[in-house]
Amino acid sequence: MEEILKKYSLLKGLNVPRETLIDFELFVSILQQGNEKINIISEETAKNNVIRERHIVDSAQIIEFIDLNSNTITDIGSGGGMPGIIISIMTKNMKNLAKVHLYEKSHHKSSFLRKASRHLKLNTEVIEENIFEAQNLETGTITARAFKPLPIILDLVYKNFSTYKNLIVFMGKNGEKVLKEALINWDFDFEKKKSITSKDSFLLNIKNIKKKH
Ligand SMILES: C[S@@+](CC[C@H](N)C(=O)[O-])C[C@H]1O[C@@H](n2cnc3c(N)ncnc32)[C@H](O)[C@@H]1O
């Protein structure tokens, strides 16, 4: 167990329970196996320890922005389950009943997400659809990691979701510029949190999205 704790030392401040870290390790092995069949994450990342920091810890750090009082959480463009599967592992071990909806248009990745959910006994629903074709969606928190540029995500949430609590977006090194530009056409409340995995990145917690013109 000491070894596992060491691997996730970046998460110390978040008080992540041991059962969750054990599930993270199980997911790492499922992800590494899955990656041998379909391309989910880069081969280099999959092979070594980088996978924990780059994907697991990076996803887990948004937990404090997740609304835990809603019935669902929605991850858009879930890919290999970042952050949707990671958040679902965390809510399972908190005995939280929220179901995580994982939107993923690729058939192979959707099958992977179903398989991982079964193995980890997660409360998820994999929705193998083009999210842009879904209408009147209702959820609590929406998460988007490496999905689409911010303005496209804002437009999608504004048009396709009839109810949501907040939207969490992972911002990279051009994040400040992208945010400033988005605020030309969009009006929203936001909170920023520095990423614990990369000094150039930050998380955006967005609420009340409105179009300006
Ligand atoms: C770059 S990957 C990121 C995956 C994951 N969120 C991560 O951070 O590792 C983007 C994912 O979004 C999915 N995707 C792209 N357009 C989509 C759409 N219109 N509806 C649903 N999924 C979509 C892709 O199939 C891909 O798996």
Side-chain angles (χ1 to χ4, degrees):
M1 191 65 215
E2 283 315 306
E3 268 309 297
I4 299 182
L5 285 173
K6 224 185 280 169
K7 285 176 182 163
Y8 293 97
S9 59
L10 277 175
L11 288 176
K12 239 189 303 183
L14 290 175
N15 287 326
V16 178
R18 283 165 185 237
E19 307 82 70
T20 299
L21 300 183
I22 292 165
D23 275 351
F24 284 171
E25 283 299 283
L26 181 54
F27 180 60
V28 166
S29 57
I30 296 170
L31 193 53
Q32 284 170 328
Q33 274 170 34
N35 218 48
E36 284 167 17
K37 296 190 200 116
I38 56 165
N39 192 18
I40 306 169
I41 53 174
S42 88
E43 231 175 275
E44 243 354 88
T45 311
K47 265 190 240 151
N48 54 44
N49 233 336
V50 179
I51 191 172
R52 293 180 181 79
E53 189 171 321
R54 187 149 320 152
H55 292 293
I56 315 296
V57 173
D58 193 54
S59 296
Q61 65 176 328
I62 65 170
I63 193 69
E64 58 191 289
F65 285 154
I66 301 279
D67 178 63
L68 296 169
N69 296 314
S70 301
N71 296 330
T72 64
I73 296 161
T74 299
D75 186 28
I76 58 181
S78 204
M82 278 71 72
I85 292 277
I86 309 303
I87 295 305
S88 186
I89 289 173
M90 296 176 95
T91 52
K92 177 186 94 171
N93 288 312
M94 288 172 189
K95 312 268 183 280
N96 181 283
L97 298 177
K99 178 176 261 188
V100 181
H101 285 177
L102 305 165
Y103 272 88
E104 175 48 57
K105 70 173 183 187
S106 143
H107 176 65
H108 290 304
K109 287 182 185 167
S110 296
S111 304
F112 169 80
L113 291 169
R114 285 190 197 99
K115 189 179 143 199
S117 295
R118 255 195 323 272
H119 262 74
L120 289 152
K121 300 190 172 53
L122 302 179
N123 184 15
T124 64
E125 184 174 336
V126 179
I127 304 158
E128 191 181 323
E129 271 179 30
N130 175 354
I131 179 88
F132 292 91
E133 286 170 7
Q135 296 294 324
N136 295 318
L137 298 170
E138 293 183 13
T139 194
T141 298
I142 303 165
T143 59
R145 181 176 184 263
F147 174 58
K148 297 276 175 203
L150 183 62
I152 309 252
I153 298 173
L154 291 169
D155 198 55
L156 170 74
V157 172
Y158 183 71
K159 288 188 181 143
N160 299 35
F161 284 78
S162 50
T163 316
Y164 67 95
K165 283 270 163 51
N166 60 329
L167 161 69
I168 304 169
V169 187
F170 291 72
M171 305 295 285
K173 60 173 183 300
N174 294 326
E176 291 296 347
K177 183 169 173 268
V178 169
L179 174 61
K180 205 168 152 200
E181 282 169 11
L183 286 164
I184 298 172
N185 296 316
W186 295 94
D187 194 5
F188 49 83
D189 302 328
F190 66 92
E191 197 183 333
K192 282 194 261 178
K193 185 191 155 188
K194 256 178 86 65
S195 169
I196 61 172
T197 62
S198 154
K199 65 174 174 36
D200 297 328
S201 308
F202 63 95
L203 305 162
L204 256 189
N205 181 20
I206 297 177
K207 288 182 185 160
N208 300 321
I209 303 167
K210 290 180 215 96
K211 222 173 187 152
K212 270 192 181 160
H213 307 291

